[in-house]
């Protein structure tokens, strides 16, 4: 009998939830786990991983903001035929991300669980299984699961086969890095930290830091189309994936703010502007974002009576944004 290319269904009764033992400990606040595979792709191959068409494959998930960043950059740079891509299932038990019929089989290795890629790279691997995972067909190993590096490499190392779009211009790199760090701490990772807060004091502090950053970004975008002017950069990709999930996923789960994304006028118009760009639209599945607030809740989430009440909100992302006039 031919073995099915798909993993069996999610089974919490048998295997339990994913999280405990992988950096998502209930009742301890959110502590992002280590991403140990940190190989870099370079145009000249000096890193040991040379940029070549057809050599690399991305394992991603529709639900995951860190993974969507790589899918967006791949599309923006015109690398769809250079770096292949496939999706894991939207939900997981303690076995980690799996390949099921809902999102398709693994087209490269025939793995049923993403863990198999990690085991092939480091036998007995004990750590976190994450997307995005960048796989190297030549060595048969994982290059990286360190999400900040993957988009930088896709955006800079494959110029020979991609288009002329510059997402990480050298002159702006110090400013982009500084803004990315702030956005990561208070917004990208901030949503998870709010969700994992174990005391009211931490919850209020963290959520107000996040709201303050959204207010600053809303003001910044009042007179410029994108974060650094009239051109999409790495910074826009990193911010947008959190904005896209805010009203349907992060805010209903973490109870961050009474205000929705749609209540920040410039941010909301900016988010629609980006969404209406094919690379953002075609890598987005809003239905997958609702898993953040469905049962079972993520293991790092700490519920409490002092959290504010927030309901999911599905907005009209196709409404005109009117930002064409900005530079």
């Amino acid at each position: 009998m031919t073995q099915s290319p798909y993993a069996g269904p999610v089974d919490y009764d048998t295997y339990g939830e994913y999280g405990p033992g992988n950096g998502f400990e209930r009742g301890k606040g959110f502590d992002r786990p280590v991403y140990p595979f940190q190989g870099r792709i370079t145009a000249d191959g000096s890193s040991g991983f040379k940029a070549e068409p057809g050599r690399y494959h991305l394992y991603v998930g529709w639900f995951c903001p860190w993974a969507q960043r790589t899918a967006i950059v791949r599309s923006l740079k015109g690398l769809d035929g250079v770096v292949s891509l496939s999706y894991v299932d939207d939900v997981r038990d303690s076995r980690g991300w799996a390949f099921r019929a809902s999102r398709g089989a693994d087209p490269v290795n025939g793995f049923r669980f993403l863990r198999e890629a990690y085991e092939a790279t480091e036998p007995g691997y004990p750590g976190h299984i994450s997307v995005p995972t960048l796989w190297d067909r030549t060595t048969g190993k994982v290059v990286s699961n360190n999400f900040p590096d993957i988009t930088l490499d896709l955006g800079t190392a494959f110029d020979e086969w991609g288009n002329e779009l510059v997402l990480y211009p050298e002159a702006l790199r110090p400013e982009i890095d500084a803004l990315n760090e702030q956005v990561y701490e208070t917004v990208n990772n901030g949503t998870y930290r709010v969700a994992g807060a174990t005391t009211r004091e931490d919850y209020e502090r963290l959520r107000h830091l996040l709201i303050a950053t959204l207010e600053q970004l809303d003001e910044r975008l009042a007179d410029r189309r994108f974060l650094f002017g009239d051109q999409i950069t790495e910074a826009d990709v990193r911010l947008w994936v959190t904005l896209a999930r805010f009203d349907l996923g992060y805010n209903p789960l973490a109870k961050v703010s009474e205000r929705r994304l749609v209540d920040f006028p410039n941010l909301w118009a900016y988010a629609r502007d980006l969404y209406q760009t094919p690379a953002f639209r075609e890598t987005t599945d809003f239905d997958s974002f609702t898993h953040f607030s469905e049962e079972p809740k993520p293991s790092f989430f700490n519920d409490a009576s002092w959290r504010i009440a927030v309901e999911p909100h599905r907005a009209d992302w196709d409404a005109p944004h009117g930002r064409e006039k900005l530079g």
Side-chain angles (χ1 to χ4, degrees), residues 172-194:
L172 290 175
R173 286 181 185 181
E175 294 177 64
I176 290 174
D177 291 346
L179 184 61
N180 283 348
E181 182 176 359
Q182 179 192 10
V183 168
Y184 174 77
E185 289 295 330
T186 61
V187 179
N188 298 143
N189 204 45
T191 55
Y192 296 85
R193 295 174 69 202
V194 175

Side-chain angles (χ1 to χ4, degrees), residues 221-225 230 266 269 273 321-327:
L221 289 162
D223 60 358
R224 63 182 85 188
R225 186 168 183 181
D230 61 357
N266 298 318
D273 188 2
H321 54 76
R323 293 181 63 81
E324 301 91 342
K325 63 184 182 295
L326 296 175

Side-chain angles (χ1 to χ4, degrees), residues 221-233:
L221 289 162
D223 60 358
R224 63 182 85 188
R225 186 168 183 181
F226 304 113
L227 290 172
F228 286 91
D230 61 357
Q231 178 65 60
I232 296 171
T233 67

Side-chain angles (χ1 to χ4, degrees), residues 19-34:
N22 291 285
F24 303 110
E25 308 302 330
R26 196 175 298 280
K28 294 186 178 181
F30 180 77
D31 185 17
R32 184 160 294 283
V34 174

Side-chain angles (χ1 to χ4, degrees), residues 16-26 92-96 128 298-300:
E17 298 176 36
Y18 187 89
N22 291 285
F24 303 110
E25 308 302 330
R26 196 175 298 280
R92 60 184 170 178
D93 53 33
S94 68
R95 295 171 293 177
H128 179 45
S299 61
F300 59 83

Side-chain angles (χ1 to χ4, degrees), residues 4 9 15 17 33 35 61 75 80 99 129 133 144 169 187 196 205 224-225 242 258 271 285 320 325:
S4 170
Y15 300 103
E17 298 176 36
Y35 298 84
S75 181
D80 294 36
F99 300 93
I129 308 296
T133 292
S144 178
V187 179
R205 176 179 59 84
R224 63 182 85 188
R225 186 168 183 181
T242 299
E258 296 89 343
D285 177 359
K325 63 184 182 295

Side-chain angles (χ1 to χ4, degrees), residues 221-292:
L221 289 162
D223 60 358
R224 63 182 85 188
R225 186 168 183 181
F226 304 113
L227 290 172
F228 286 91
D230 61 357
Q231 178 65 60
I232 296 171
T233 67
E234 172 81 15
D236 296 295
V237 177
R238 293 192 183 200
L239 171 62
W240 187 85
V241 294
T242 299
L243 298 182
R245 290 159 174 77
F246 192 74
D247 284 350
L248 279 174
Y250 288 132
N251 204 16
L253 170 67
K255 320 295 187 189
V256 178
S257 174
E258 296 89 343
R259 282 183 287 172
R260 306 160 299 178
L261 173 63
V262 299
D263 298 318
F264 294 85
N266 298 318
L267 265 180
W268 171 223
Y270 158 84
R272 296 200 310 279
D273 188 2
L274 287 172
Y275 173 71
Q276 291 169 31
T277 302
F280 291 79
R281 179 193 294 273
E282 293 167 6
T283 59
T284 299
D285 177 359
F286 287 111
D287 288 339
S288 72
F289 302 165
T290 63
H291 291 299
F292 284 106

Side-chain angles (χ1 to χ4, degrees), residues 103-132:
R103 297 301 191 187
D106 171 12
V108 176
N109 296 297
F111 295 147
R112 294 189 300 159
F113 290 91
L114 188 57
R115 177 176 295 278
E116 295 173 65
Y118 288 66
E119 289 280 353
T121 307
E122 181 184 319
Y125 174 76
H128 179 45
I129 308 296
S130 63
V131 288

